[in-house]
Coordinates of all heavy atoms in Angstrom, one line a residue:
M282 N 104.7 66.4 97.2 CA 103.7 66.1 96.1 C 102.4 66.6 96.4 O 101.8 66.4 97.5 CB 103.7 64.5 96.0 CG 104.5 64.0 94.8 SD 103.7 62.6 94.0 CE 105.1 61.5 94.1
W283 N 101.8 67.1 95.5 CA 100.4 67.7 95.6 C 99.4 66.7 94.9 O 99.1 66.7 93.8 CB 100.3 69.1 95.0 CG 101.2 70.0 95.7 CD1 102.4 70.4 95.2 CD2 101.0 70.7 96.9 NE1 103.0 71.3 96.1 CE2 102.2 71.5 97.2 CE3 100.0 70.6 97.9 CZ2 102.3 72.3 98.3 CZ3 100.1 71.5 99.0 CH2 101.2 72.2 99.2
R284 N 98.8 66.0 95.9 CA 97.8 65.1 95.3 C 96.3 65.4 95.6 O 95.5 64.8 95.0 CB 98.1 63.7 95.8 CG 99.4 63.2 95.5 CD 99.6 61.7 95.9 NE 98.6 60.9 95.3 CZ 98.3 59.6 95.6 NH1 99.0 59.1 96.6 NH2 97.3 59.0 95.1
N285 N 96.2 66.3 96.4 CA 94.8 66.7 96.8 C 94.2 67.7 95.9 O 94.0 68.8 96.3 CB 94.8 67.1 98.3 CG 95.8 68.1 98.6 OD1 96.8 68.2 97.9 ND2 95.7 68.7 99.8
R286 N 94.0 67.4 94.7 CA 93.4 68.3 93.7 C 91.9 67.9 93.5 O 91.3 68.5 92.6 CB 94.2 68.3 92.4 CG 95.5 68.9 92.6 CD 96.2 69.1 91.2 NE 95.3 69.9 90.4 CZ 95.7 71.0 89.9 NH1 96.9 71.5 90.1 NH2 94.9 71.8 89.1
D287 N 91.4 66.9 94.3 CA 90.0 66.6 94.1 C 89.1 67.7 94.6 O 89.5 68.5 95.3 CB 89.8 65.2 94.8 CG 90.2 65.3 96.2 OD1 91.4 65.5 96.5 OD2 89.3 65.1 97.0
R288 N 87.9 67.6 94.4 CA 86.9 68.7 94.7 C 86.7 68.9 96.1 O 86.3 70.0 96.6 CB 85.5 68.4 93.9 CG 85.6 68.5 92.4 CD 84.3 68.5 91.8 NE 84.5 68.8 90.4 CZ 84.4 70.0 89.9 NH1 84.2 71.0 90.7 NH2 84.5 70.3 88.6
A289 N 86.9 67.9 96.9 CA 86.7 68.0 98.3 C 87.6 69.0 98.9 O 87.2 69.6 100.0 CB 86.9 66.6 99.0
T290 N 88.7 69.3 98.3 CA 89.7 70.3 98.9 C 89.5 71.6 98.2 O 90.3 72.5 98.5 CB 91.1 69.8 98.8 OG1 91.5 69.6 97.5 CG2 91.3 68.5 99.6
Q291 N 88.6 71.7 97.3 CA 88.4 73.0 96.6 C 87.2 73.6 97.0 O 86.1 73.0 97.2 CB 88.3 72.7 95.1 CG 89.5 72.1 94.5 CD 90.7 73.0 94.3 OE1 90.6 73.9 93.5 NE2 91.8 72.7 94.9
V292 N 87.2 74.9 97.2 CA 86.1 75.7 97.7 C 85.9 76.9 96.7 O 86.9 77.3 96.1 CB 86.1 76.2 99.1 CG1 86.2 75.0 100.1 CG2 87.3 77.1 99.3
T293 N 84.7 77.5 96.7 CA 84.5 78.6 95.8 C 84.3 79.8 96.6 O 83.4 79.8 97.5 CB 83.2 78.3 95.0 OG1 83.4 77.1 94.2 CG2 83.0 79.4 94.0
C294 N 85.0 80.8 96.3 CA 84.8 82.1 96.9 C 83.4 82.7 96.6 O 83.0 82.8 95.4 CB 85.9 83.0 96.5 SG 85.7 84.7 97.0
I295 N 82.7 83.0 97.6 CA 81.3 83.5 97.3 C 81.3 85.0 96.8 O 80.3 85.4 96.3 CB 80.5 83.5 98.6 CG1 81.1 84.4 99.8 CG2 80.2 82.1 99.1 CD1 80.1 84.6 100.9
A296 N 82.4 85.6 96.9 CA 82.4 87.0 96.5 C 82.9 87.1 95.0 O 82.4 87.9 94.2 CB 83.4 87.8 97.4
C297 N 83.9 86.4 94.6 CA 84.4 86.5 93.2 C 84.3 85.3 92.4 O 84.5 85.3 91.2 CB 85.9 87.0 93.3 SG 87.0 85.7 93.9
G298 N 83.8 84.2 93.1 CA 83.6 82.9 92.3 C 84.9 82.1 92.0 O 84.8 81.1 91.3
E299 N 86.0 82.6 92.5 CA 87.2 81.9 92.2 C 87.2 80.6 93.0 O 86.8 80.5 94.1 CB 88.3 82.9 92.8 CG 89.7 82.6 92.1 CD 89.7 82.8 90.7 OE1 89.2 83.9 90.2 OE2 90.2 82.0 89.9
T300 N 87.8 79.6 92.3 CA 88.0 78.3 93.0 C 89.4 78.3 93.7 O 90.4 78.4 93.0 CB 87.8 77.2 92.1 OG1 86.5 77.2 91.5 CG2 88.0 75.8 92.8
V301 N 89.4 78.2 94.9 CA 90.7 78.1 95.6 C 90.7 76.8 96.4 O 89.7 76.2 96.8 CB 90.9 79.3 96.5 CG1 91.0 80.6 95.6 CG2 89.8 79.5 97.5
S302 N 91.9 76.4 96.8 CA 92.0 75.3 97.7 C 91.5 75.7 99.1 O 91.7 76.8 99.5 CB 93.4 74.8 97.8 OG 94.2 75.6 98.7
R303 N 90.9 74.8 99.8 CA 90.3 75.0 101.0 C 91.3 75.6 102.0 O 90.9 76.5 102.9 CB 89.6 73.8 101.6 CG 88.8 74.0 102.7 CD 88.0 72.8 102.9 NE 87.3 72.9 104.3 CZ 86.2 72.2 104.5 NH1 85.6 71.5 103.6 NH2 85.6 72.4 105.6
S304 N 92.5 75.2 102.0 CA 93.5 75.7 103.0 C 93.8 77.2 102.7 O 94.3 77.9 103.5 CB 94.7 74.8 103.0 OG 95.3 74.8 101.6
E305 N 93.5 77.6 101.4 CA 93.8 79.0 101.1 C 92.6 79.9 101.3 O 92.8 81.1 101.2 CB 94.2 79.0 99.6 CG 95.6 78.5 99.3 CD 96.7 79.3 99.9 OE1 96.7 80.6 99.6 OE2 97.5 78.8 100.7
A306 N 91.5 79.2 101.7 CA 90.3 80.1 101.8 C 90.0 80.4 103.2 O 90.6 79.9 104.1 CB 89.1 79.3 101.2
R307 N 89.1 81.4 103.4 CA 88.7 81.7 104.8 C 87.3 81.4 104.8 O 86.4 81.7 104.0 CB 88.9 83.3 104.9 CG 90.2 83.7 105.0 CD 90.9 83.4 106.4 NE 92.1 83.9 106.5 CZ 93.2 83.2 106.4 NH1 93.1 81.9 106.0 NH2 94.4 83.6 106.5
E308 N 86.9 80.8 106.0 CA 85.6 80.4 106.2 C 84.7 81.7 106.4 O 85.1 82.6 107.1 CB 85.4 79.5 107.4 CG 85.8 78.1 107.1 CD 85.6 77.3 108.4 OE1 85.3 77.8 109.5 OE2 85.7 76.0 108.2
Y309 N 83.5 81.7 105.8 CA 82.6 82.8 106.0 C 81.3 82.2 106.5 O 80.7 81.5 105.8 CB 82.4 83.7 104.9 CG 81.5 84.7 105.1 CD1 81.8 85.8 106.0 CD2 80.2 84.7 104.6 CE1 80.8 86.8 106.3 CE2 79.2 85.7 104.8 CZ 79.6 86.7 105.7 OH 78.7 87.7 106.0
D310 N 80.9 82.5 107.7 CA 79.6 82.1 108.3 C 78.8 83.2 108.3 O 79.0 84.2 109.1 CB 80.0 81.4 109.7 CG 78.7 80.9 110.2 OD1 77.6 81.1 109.6 OD2 78.8 80.1 111.2
K311 N 77.6 83.1 107.7 CA 76.7 84.2 107.6 C 76.2 84.5 108.9 O 75.7 85.7 109.3 CB 75.5 83.9 106.6 CG 75.8 84.2 105.2 CD 74.5 84.1 104.4 CE 74.2 82.6 104.0 NZ 73.3 82.6 102.9
E312 N 76.0 83.5 109.8 CA 75.5 83.7 111.1 C 76.6 84.2 112.1 O 76.2 84.5 113.2 CB 74.9 82.4 111.6 CG 73.7 82.1 110.9 CD 73.3 80.6 110.9 OE1 73.1 80.1 112.0 OE2 73.3 79.9 109.9
G313 N 77.8 84.3 111.6 CA 78.8 84.9 112.5 C 79.2 84.2 113.7 O 79.9 84.6 114.6
D314 N 78.8 82.9 113.6 CA 79.3 82.0 114.7 C 80.0 80.8 114.2 O 79.4 79.8 113.9 CB 78.1 81.6 115.6 CG 78.4 80.7 116.7 OD1 79.7 80.5 117.0 OD2 77.6 80.2 117.4
R315 N 81.2 80.8 114.0 CA 81.9 79.7 113.3 C 82.3 78.6 114.3 O 82.9 77.7 114.0 CB 83.2 80.2 112.6 CG 84.3 80.8 113.6 CD 85.6 81.0 112.8 NE 85.4 82.1 111.8 CZ 86.4 82.3 110.9 NH1 87.4 81.5 110.9 NH2 86.3 83.2 110.0
Y316 N 81.9 78.8 115.6 CA 82.2 77.6 116.5 C 81.0 76.7 116.5 O 81.2 75.5 117.0 CB 82.5 78.2 117.9 CG 83.8 79.0 117.8 CD1 83.7 80.4 117.9 CD2 85.0 78.4 117.7 CE1 84.8 81.1 117.7 CE2 86.2 79.1 117.6 CZ 86.1 80.6 117.6 OH 87.2 81.3 117.5
D317 N 79.9 77.1 116.1 CA 78.7 76.2 116.1 C 78.6 75.6 114.6 O 78.2 76.2 113.7 CB 77.4 76.9 116.4 CG 76.2 76.1 116.3 OD1 76.4 74.8 116.2 OD2 75.1 76.6 116.3
R318 N 79.2 74.4 114.5 CA 79.4 73.9 113.2 C 78.3 72.8 112.8 O 78.3 72.3 111.7 CB 80.7 73.2 113.1 CG 81.9 74.0 113.5 CD 83.2 73.4 113.3 NE 83.5 73.2 111.9 CZ 84.3 74.0 111.3 NH1 84.9 75.0 111.8 NH2 84.6 73.9 110.0
S319 N 77.3 72.6 113.7 CA 76.3 71.6 113.4 C 75.5 71.9 112.3 O 74.9 73.1 112.3 CB 75.6 71.3 114.7 OG 75.0 72.5 115.2
D320 N 75.3 71.0 111.4 CA 74.4 71.2 110.3 C 74.6 72.5 109.5 O 73.6 73.1 109.1 CB 72.9 71.3 110.7 CG 72.5 69.8 111.2 OD1 73.1 68.9 110.7 OD2 71.6 69.7 112.0
K321 N 75.8 72.9 109.4 CA 76.0 74.1 108.7 C 76.8 73.9 107.5 O 77.8 73.1 107.5 CB 76.8 75.1 109.6 CG 75.9 76.0 110.5 CD 76.7 77.1 111.0 CE 75.9 77.9 112.0 NZ 76.8 78.8 112.7
E322 N 76.6 74.7 106.5 CA 77.3 74.7 105.3 C 78.1 76.1 105.3 O 77.5 77.1 105.1 CB 76.5 74.6 104.1 CG 77.1 73.7 103.0 CD 76.2 73.5 101.8 OE1 75.2 72.7 102.0 OE2 76.4 74.2 100.8
F323 N 79.4 75.9 105.4 CA 80.2 77.1 105.5 C 80.4 77.6 104.1 O 80.5 77.0 103.1 CB 81.5 76.9 106.1 CG 81.5 76.9 107.5 CD1 81.2 75.8 108.3 CD2 81.6 78.1 108.3 CE1 81.2 75.7 109.7 CE2 81.6 78.1 109.7 CZ 81.3 77.0 110.3
E324 N 80.5 78.9 104.0 CA 80.8 79.6 102.7 C 82.3 80.0 102.8 O 82.8 80.2 103.9 CB 79.8 80.7 102.4 CG 78.5 80.2 102.2 CD 77.5 81.3 102.0 OE1 77.3 82.1 102.9 OE2 76.9 81.5 100.9
Y325 N 82.9 80.2 101.6 CA 84.3 80.6 101.7 C 84.6 81.9 100.9 O 83.9 82.2 100.0 CB 85.1 79.4 101.1 CG 85.0 78.2 102.0 CD1 84.1 77.3 101.7 CD2 86.0 78.1 103.1 CE1 83.9 76.2 102.6 CE2 85.9 77.0 103.9 CZ 84.9 75.9 103.6 OH 84.7 74.9 104.4
L326 N 85.6 82.5 101.4 CA 86.1 83.6 100.7 C 87.6 83.5 100.4 O 88.3 82.9 101.2 CB 86.0 84.9 101.5 CG 84.5 85.4 101.7 CD1 84.6 86.4 102.9 CD2 84.0 86.0 100.6
C327 N 88.0 83.9 99.3 CA 89.5 83.7 99.0 C 90.1 84.9 99.8 O 89.5 85.8 100.2 CB 89.8 83.8 97.5 SG 89.4 85.5 96.8
K328 N 91.4 84.7 99.9 CA 92.1 85.7 100.8 C 92.0 87.2 100.4 O 91.7 88.0 101.2 CB 93.6 85.3 100.9 CG 93.8 84.2 101.9 CD 95.2 83.8 102.0 CE 95.3 82.6 103.0 NZ 96.7 82.1 103.0
P329 N 92.1 87.5 99.1 CA 91.9 88.9 98.7 C 90.6 89.4 99.1 O 90.4 90.5 99.6 CB 92.1 88.8 97.2 CG 93.0 87.6 97.0 CD 92.6 86.7 98.1
C330 N 89.5 88.6 98.9 CA 88.2 89.1 99.1 C 88.0 89.2 100.6 O 87.4 90.2 101.0 CB 87.2 88.1 98.6 SG 87.1 88.2 96.7
H331 N 88.4 88.3 101.3 CA 88.3 88.3 102.8 C 89.0 89.6 103.3 O 88.5 90.2 104.2 CB 89.0 87.1 103.4 CG 88.8 87.0 104.8 ND1 89.8 87.4 105.7 CD2 87.8 86.5 105.6 CE1 89.3 87.2 106.9 NE2 88.1 86.6 106.9
R332 N 90.1 89.9 102.8 CA 90.8 91.1 103.3 C 90.0 92.3 102.9 O 89.9 93.2 103.8 CB 92.2 91.1 102.6 CG 93.2 92.1 103.3 CD 94.5 92.0 102.7 NE 94.5 92.2 101.2 CZ 95.3 91.7 100.4 NH1 96.4 91.0 100.8 NH2 95.3 92.0 99.1
E333 N 89.5 92.4 101.8 CA 88.6 93.6 101.4 C 87.4 93.7 102.3 O 87.1 94.8 102.7 CB 88.3 93.4 99.9 CG 89.4 93.8 99.0 CD 88.9 94.3 97.6 OE1 87.7 94.7 97.6 OE2 89.7 94.2 96.7
L334 N 86.7 92.6 102.5 CA 85.5 92.6 103.2 C 85.7 93.0 104.7 O 85.0 93.6 105.3 CB 84.9 91.2 103.2 CG 84.3 90.9 101.8 CD1 83.8 89.5 101.9 CD2 83.2 91.9 101.4
N335 N 87.0 92.6 105.1 CA 87.3 93.0 106.5 C 87.5 94.5 106.8 O 87.5 94.9 107.8 CB 88.6 92.3 106.9 CG 88.3 91.0 107.7 OD1 87.1 90.6 107.9 ND2 89.3 90.3 108.1
H336 N 87.6 95.2 105.7 CA 87.8 96.7 105.7 C 86.4 97.3 106.1 O 86.3 98.4 106.4 CB 88.3 97.3 104.5 CG 89.7 96.9 104.3 ND1 90.5 97.2 103.2 CD2 90.6 96.1 105.1 CE1 91.7 96.8 103.3 NE2 91.8 96.1 104.4
Q337 N 85.4 96.6 105.9 CA 84.1 97.1 106.0 C 83.6 96.8 107.4 O 83.8 95.8 108.0 CB 83.1 96.6 105.0 CG 83.7 96.8 103.6 CD 82.6 96.9 102.6 OE1 81.5 97.1 102.9 NE2 83.0 96.8 101.4
P338 N 82.7 97.6 107.9 CA 82.0 97.3 109.2 C 81.3 96.0 109.0 O 80.7 95.8 108.0 CB 81.1 98.5 109.5 CG 81.5 99.6 108.5 CD 82.3 98.9 107.4
R339 N 81.3 95.3 110.1 CA 80.7 94.0 110.1 C 79.1 94.1 109.6 O 78.6 93.4 108.8 CB 80.8 93.4 111.5 CG 80.1 92.0 111.7 CD 81.0 90.9 111.2 NE 80.3 89.7 111.3 CZ 80.4 88.6 110.5 NH1 81.4 88.6 109.7 NH2 79.7 87.6 110.6
G340 N 78.4 94.9 110.2 CA 77.0 95.2 109.9 C 76.8 95.4 108.4 O 75.9 95.0 107.8
G341 N 77.7 96.3 107.9 CA 77.6 96.7 106.6 C 77.8 95.5 105.6 O 77.1 95.5 104.6
L342 N 78.7 94.6 106.0 CA 78.9 93.5 105.1 C 77.7 92.6 105.0 O 77.2 92.3 103.9 CB 80.1 92.6 105.7 CG 80.3 91.3 105.1 CD1 80.6 91.4 103.6 CD2 81.4 90.6 105.8
E343 N 77.1 92.4 106.1 CA 75.8 91.5 106.2 C 74.8 92.2 105.3 O 74.1 91.5 104.5 CB 75.3 91.4 107.5 CG 76.2 90.6 108.5 CD 76.5 89.2 108.0 OE1 75.6 88.6 107.4 OE2 77.6 88.8 108.3
Q344 N 74.6 93.5 105.5 CA 73.7 94.2 104.7 C 74.0 94.2 103.2 O 73.2 94.0 102.4 CB 73.6 95.6 105.2 CG 72.3 96.3 104.8 CD 72.4 97.8 105.1 OE1 73.3 98.2 105.7 NE2 71.2 98.4 105.0
L345 N 75.3 94.3 102.9 CA 75.7 94.3 101.5 C 75.4 93.0 100.9 O 74.9 92.9 99.7 CB 77.2 94.5 101.6 CG 77.9 95.0 100.2 CD1 77.3 96.3 99.7 CD2 79.4 95.2 100.5
L346 N 75.7 91.9 101.6 CA 75.4 90.6 101.0 C 74.0 90.4 100.8 O 73.6 89.8 99.8 CB 76.0 89.6 101.9 CG 77.6 89.4 101.9 CD1 78.1 88.4 103.0 CD2 78.1 89.0 100.5
A347 N 73.2 90.8 101.8 CA 71.8 90.6 101.7 C 71.2 91.4 100.5 O 70.4 90.9 99.7 CB 71.2 91.0 103.0
E348 N 71.6 92.6 100.4 CA 71.1 93.6 99.4 C 71.6 93.1 98.0 O 70.9 93.3 97.0 CB 71.7 95.0 99.6 CG 70.8 95.7 100.6 CD 71.5 97.1 100.8 OE1 72.2 97.6 99.9 OE2 71.1 97.8 101.8
S349 N 72.7 92.4 97.9 CA 73.2 91.9 96.6 C 72.5 90.7 96.3 O 72.6 90.1 95.1 CB 74.7 91.6 96.8 OG 75.4 92.7 97.3
G350 N 71.7 90.2 97.2 CA 70.9 89.0 96.8 C 71.6 87.7 96.9 O 71.3 86.7 96.2
A351 N 72.5 87.6 97.9 CA 73.3 86.4 98.0 C 72.4 85.2 98.3 O 71.6 85.2 99.1 CB 74.2 86.5 99.2
G352 N 72.6 84.2 97.5 CA 71.8 83.0 97.7 C 70.5 83.0 96.9 O 69.8 82.0 96.7
D353 N 70.1 84.2 96.4 CA 68.7 84.3 95.8 C 68.8 84.6 94.3 O 68.0 84.3 93.6 CB 68.0 85.5 96.4 CG 67.6 85.3 97.8 OD1 67.3 84.1 98.2 OD2 67.5 86.2 98.5
V354 N 70.0 85.1 93.8 CA 70.2 85.4 92.4 C 71.4 84.6 92.0 O 72.1 84.0 92.7 CB 70.4 86.9 92.2 CG1 69.2 87.7 92.7 CG2 71.6 87.3 93.0
S355 N 71.5 84.7 90.7 CA 72.7 83.9 90.0 C 74.0 84.6 90.5 O 74.0 85.8 90.9 CB 72.6 84.0 88.5 OG 72.9 85.3 88.1
R356 N 75.0 83.9 90.4 CA 76.3 84.4 90.8 C 76.7 85.7 90.1 O 77.1 86.6 90.6 CB 77.4 83.3 90.5 CG 78.8 83.9 90.8 CD 79.7 82.8 91.0 NE 79.4 82.1 92.2 CZ 79.7 80.8 92.6 NH1 80.3 80.1 91.6 NH2 79.5 80.3 93.7
E357 N 76.4 85.6 88.8 CA 76.7 86.8 87.9 C 76.0 88.0 88.4 O 76.5 89.1 88.6 CB 76.3 86.5 86.5 CG 77.2 87.1 85.5 CD 76.9 86.6 84.1 OE1 76.8 85.4 84.0 OE2 76.7 87.4 83.2
E358 N 74.7 87.8 88.7 CA 73.8 88.9 89.2 C 74.3 89.4 90.5 O 74.5 90.6 90.8 CB 72.5 88.3 89.3 CG 71.5 89.4 89.9 CD 71.0 90.3 88.8 OE1 71.0 90.0 87.6 OE2 70.6 91.5 89.2
F359 N 74.6 88.5 91.4 CA 75.1 88.8 92.7 C 76.4 89.6 92.7 O 76.6 90.6 93.2 CB 75.4 87.5 93.4 CG 76.2 87.7 94.7 CD1 75.6 88.4 95.8 CD2 77.5 87.3 94.9 CE1 76.3 88.6 97.0 CE2 78.2 87.5 96.0 CZ 77.6 88.2 97.0
L360 N 77.3 89.2 91.8 CA 78.6 89.9 91.7 C 78.4 91.2 91.2 O 79.1 92.2 91.6 CB 79.5 89.1 90.7 CG 80.1 87.8 91.4 CD1 80.9 87.0 90.4 CD2 80.8 88.0 92.6
T361 N 77.6 91.4 90.2 CA 77.3 92.7 89.6 C 76.7 93.7 90.7 O 77.2 94.7 90.9 CB 76.3 92.6 88.5 OG1 76.7 91.7 87.5 CG2 76.1 93.9 87.8
R362 N 75.8 93.2 91.4 CA 75.1 94.1 92.4 C 76.1 94.3 93.5 O 76.2 95.4 94.1 CB 73.9 93.3 93.1 CG 72.8 93.1 92.1 CD 71.6 92.8 92.9 NE 70.6 92.0 92.1 CZ 69.6 91.5 92.7 NH1 69.3 91.7 94.0 NH2 68.7 90.8 92.0
Y363 N 76.8 93.3 93.9 CA 77.9 93.3 95.0 C 78.8 94.4 94.7 O 79.2 95.3 95.5 CB 78.4 92.1 95.3 CG 79.4 92.1 96.4 CD1 79.0 92.0 97.7 CD2 80.8 92.3 96.2 CE1 79.9 92.1 98.8 CE2 81.7 92.4 97.1 CZ 81.3 92.4 98.5 OH 82.1 92.5 99.5
T364 N 79.4 94.3 93.5 CA 80.4 95.3 93.1 C 79.9 96.7 93.1 O 80.6 97.6 93.6 CB 80.9 95.0 91.7 OG1 81.2 93.6 91.6 CG2 82.2 95.8 91.3
E365 N 78.7 96.9 92.6 CA 78.1 98.2 92.6 C 77.9 98.8 94.0 O 78.3 99.8 94.4 CB 76.7 98.2 92.0 CG 76.9 98.2 90.5 CD 75.5 98.0 89.8 OE1 74.4 98.0 90.5 OE2 75.4 97.7 88.6
L366 N 77.4 97.9 94.8 CA 77.2 98.3 96.3 C 78.4 98.6 97.0 O 78.6 99.5 97.7 CB 76.3 97.3 97.0 CG 74.9 97.2 96.6 CD1 74.2 95.9 97.2 CD2 74.1 98.4 97.0
A367 N 79.4 97.7 96.7 CA 80.7 97.8 97.4 C 81.4 99.0 97.1 O 82.0 99.7 98.0 CB 81.5 96.5 97.2
T368 N 81.5 99.3 95.8 CA 82.3 100.4 95.4 C 81.5 101.8 95.7 O 82.2 102.8 95.9 CB 82.4 100.5 93.8 OG1 81.3 100.0 93.2 CG2 83.6 99.6 93.5
E369 N 80.3 101.6 95.9 CA 79.4 102.8 96.3 C 79.8 103.2 97.7 O 79.9 104.3 98.1 CB 78.0 102.3 96.2 CG 77.0 103.5 96.3 CD 75.6 102.9 96.0 OE1 75.3 102.6 94.9 OE2 74.9 102.7 97.0
S370 N 79.9 102.2 98.5 CA 80.0 102.5 100.0 C 81.5 102.7 100.4 O 81.8 103.1 101.5 CB 79.4 101.4 100.8 OG 80.0 100.1 100.4
E371 N 82.4 102.2 99.5 CA 83.8 102.3 99.9 C 84.6 102.9 98.7 O 84.6 102.3 97.7 CB 84.3 101.0 100.3 CG 85.7 101.1 100.9 CD 86.2 99.7 101.3 OE1 85.9 98.7 100.6 OE2 87.0 99.6 102.2
P372 N 85.2 104.0 98.9 CA 86.1 104.5 97.9 C 87.3 103.6 97.5 O 87.7 102.9 98.3 CB 86.6 105.8 98.4 CG 86.3 105.9 99.8 CD 85.3 104.8 100.1
R373 N 87.5 103.5 96.2 CA 88.5 102.6 95.8 C 90.0 103.0 96.2 O 90.7 103.6 95.4 CB 88.5 102.4 94.3 CG 87.5 101.5 93.8 CD 87.9 100.7 92.6 NE 87.2 99.4 92.5 CZ 87.7 98.3 93.1 NH1 88.7 98.4 93.7 NH2 87.0 97.2 92.7
S374 N 90.3 102.8 97.4 CA 91.6 103.4 97.8 C 92.3 102.3 98.8 O 93.2 102.6 99.6 CB 91.6 104.6 98.5 OG 90.7 104.5 99.7
E375 N 91.9 101.1 98.7 CA 92.5 100.1 99.5 C 94.0 99.9 99.1 O 94.4 100.0 98.0 CB 91.8 98.7 99.4 CG 91.9 98.0 98.0 CD 90.6 98.4 97.2 OE1 89.5 98.1 97.6 OE2 90.8 99.0 96.2
S376 N 94.7 99.6 100.2 CA 96.1 99.5 100.0 C 96.5 98.2 99.3 O 96.3 97.1 99.9 CB 96.9 99.7 101.3 OG 96.3 98.9 102.3
E377 N 97.0 98.2 98.1 CA 97.4 96.9 97.4 C 98.8 96.6 97.9 O 99.7 97.4 98.0 CB 97.4 97.1 95.9 CG 96.0 97.4 95.4 CD 95.2 96.0 95.3 OE1 95.8 95.0 95.2 OE2 94.0 96.1 95.4
R378 N 99.0 95.2 98.2 CA 100.3 94.9 98.5 C 100.8 93.8 97.6 O 100.1 92.8 97.3 CB 100.3 94.3 100.0 CG 100.6 95.5 100.9 CD 101.1 95.0 102.2 NE 100.1 94.6 103.1 CZ 100.2 94.0 104.3 NH1 101.4 93.8 104.7 NH2 99.2 93.8 105.1
Ligands
ZN1046 ZN1 87.3 86.0 96.1

């Protein structure tokens, strides 16, 4: 039985805005240190986004998120910028499975 549909178990993907269950999401820590959990609010990525982001160099991802205005602009704005930047730096040839 699936009873845990309350918001506590739902997280929002920071890349696509999709709401997924926490167990299906991947933690994304902007500071890159997921073992230091004190006073931190983790962000989440859904699996498809996490997989795509992993194809990029770590430094590039940070820069990409920063340039996209993560946390500073509306989600819509962020997604628009992010998509532009992401497609610009990486040709659309990821292997779909
Ligand atoms: Zn996503």
